Amino acid sequence: MKLLVTGGAGYVGSVCAAHLLEAGHEVVVLDDLSTGHRDAVPSGATFVEAELGAGADEVLGAGGFDGVLHFAARSLVGESVTEPEKYWSGNVVASFRLLEAIRRHAVPRLVFSSTAATYGEPDQVPIPESAPTRPTNPYGASKLAIDHMITSYATAHGLAATSLRYFNVAGAHVAGDTHLGERHTVETHLIPLVLQVASGTRESISIFGDDWPTPDGTCVRDYIHVDDLADAHLLALQHSTAGDHAVYNLGSGHGFSVLEVVETCRSVTGHPIPAVVAPRRAGDPAVLVAAGHRAAEQLGWKPSRTALARIVADAWEFARGR
Ligand code: UDP
């Protein structure tokens, strides 16, 4: 297939682009490099540096595209609370312009990076796709708004659409000389922060609360290897149906606590990694774990890199190579 990958210079987008190329697809990456890195774009892809709305119209206007995988987004929860305009503009308005370009140029398929943040504080865990969507911050709300737009375009214009709701994406794509992983200028995610301690660029890791209603008192999350996540995107491209918008949770269905993550990082890196208990972070739910049956049943997706030690070892391999 000939595919447009928006945000293909970012963490998840670049790894998916690599998987698509390895599977023999033709890939055009569109990225404005506002948060992505030019050197993360896999060498087999055509790279276009442009803003999403206008860029997509121009790229798709060349014709012959079989699908779009849409990763480009702003994704910092805290920033979305203090500067929501960036999320309504950069996520919602830009995605609307992308959808219009898709419609104008009759591209048949779309796979969208949605998020578990669309559910907000869950009533039940594991979280099924049928759970109520009540995002607790503008980031989650902007992704949910895009999901709603996509549903209406699928119904009205026959788009074959899939939204993949990621839980905690982690790990790195380590294949020969290609190492693609998390490299945010403002890093907020647990595993890369812990690995910064192991590599000596940070003194200690703060544990945001040890009095949560969980077995060891720290928050529990469902960490999913970025390569498993990429596999789901390839399956979604094959299984989508014209006029339908399918939504799938992507998680392993198993949760690990913050303390378990820190302990695993200690054993993988051999570094003592000092940890300091800090106040809870606003907006953190205690437990977020996916009920992933739908992706298994309908896409045939089965994450295979679910061991936390494997996820951390790949992230460490990437971090050490930098
Ligand atoms: N966390 C932590 N210390 C940090 C960063 C994160 O204790 O320096 C915790 C955070 O409170 C959450 C978990 O680690 O319970 C995962 O956070 P992350 O930001 O990686 O992902 P999120 O679940 O917020 O999407």
Side-chain angles (χ1 to χ4, degrees):
M1 290 192 213
K2 183 177 174 186
L3 302 165
L4 170 63
V5 175
T6 75
Y11 170 39
V12 179
S14 65
V15 174
C16 284
H19 278 249
L20 291 166
L21 289 163
E22 283 161 23
H25 297 292
E26 181 183 343
V27 173
V28 178
V29 165
L30 173 65
D31 200 301
D32 65 3
L33 299 183
S34 56
T35 54
H37 306 273
R38 175 66 184 89
D39 63 359
V41 178
S43 54
T46 303
F47 178 61
V48 178
E49 182 180 346
E51 171 267 327
L52 181 59
D57 195 47
E58 198 172 323
V59 173
L60 296 177
F65 280 86
D66 300 294
V68 174
L69 294 102
H70 178 30
F71 300 94
R74 291 184 169 271
S75 61
L76 296 173
V77 169
E79 180 186 68
S80 81
V81 174
T82 54
E83 297 174 87
E85 57 281 4
K86 288 187 175 172
Y87 288 72
W88 297 113
S89 168
N91 289 358
V92 178
V93 175
S95 296
F96 168 66
R97 294 182 67 196
L98 172 65
L99 276 168
E100 278 295 271
I102 286 171
R103 178 164 77 99
R104 200 173 299 124
H105 302 297
V107 180
R109 287 175 202 82
L110 171 67
V111 180
F112 173 58
S113 300
S114 188
T115 167
T118 53
Y119 297 116
E121 184 82 43
D123 296 330
Q124 59 173 120
V125 197
I127 305 172
E129 289 86 353
S130 56
T133 41
R134 294 176 302 224
T136 51
N137 51 64
Y139 165 64
S142 72
K143 288 283 186 171
L144 182 60
I146 299 164
D147 276 343
H148 286 312
M149 277 198 289
I150 293 173
T151 304
S152 67
Y153 272 67
T155 306
H157 304 307
L159 185 65
T162 309
S163 285
L164 299 175
R165 292 194 171 151
Y166 308 164
F167 280 64
N168 287 62
V169 189
H173 178 67
V174 179
D177 290 343
T178 310
H179 287 198
L180 298 168
E182 245 177 312
R183 248 200 296 166
H184 300 118
T185 316
V186 182
E187 190 52 77
T188 62
H189 290 135
L190 180 63
I191 293 175
L193 285 174
V194 177
L195 294 178
Q196 285 179 6
V197 182
S199 57
T201 54
R202 175 177 295 271
E203 250 171 48
S204 63
I205 185 72
S206 296
I207 294 182
F208 297 151
D210 66 350
D211 56 354
W212 295 91
T214 60
D216 67 16
T218 65
C219 288
V220 170
R221 295 289 182 272
D222 186 336
Y223 294 90
I224 185 80
H225 195 295
V226 67
D227 282 327
D228 282 331
L229 200 80
D231 289 343
H233 289 73
L234 272 80
L235 290 166
L237 275 176
Q238 292 160 19
H239 287 83
S240 59
T241 308
D244 185 47
H245 179 203
V247 176
Y248 300 102
N249 286 343
L250 297 184
S252 71
H254 183 83
F256 294 101
S257 73
V258 174
L259 282 181
E260 285 176 303
V261 170
V262 174
E263 202 44 59
T264 304
C265 292
R266 285 180 180 135
S267 79
V268 166
T269 63
H271 188 284
I273 308 180
V276 182
V277 177
R280 291 182 177 192
R281 184 171 68 179
D284 267 345
V287 181
L288 284 179
V289 174
H293 315 296
R294 191 186 283 181
E297 283 159 18
Q298 297 184 20
L299 296 179
W301 180 66
K302 194 175 176 313
S304 62
R305 306 146 180 111
T306 52
L308 190 55
R310 162 72 194 274
I311 293 173
V312 169
D314 285 348
W316 180 229
E317 180 78 21
F318 173 74
R320 271 197 311 182
R322 303 226 55 84

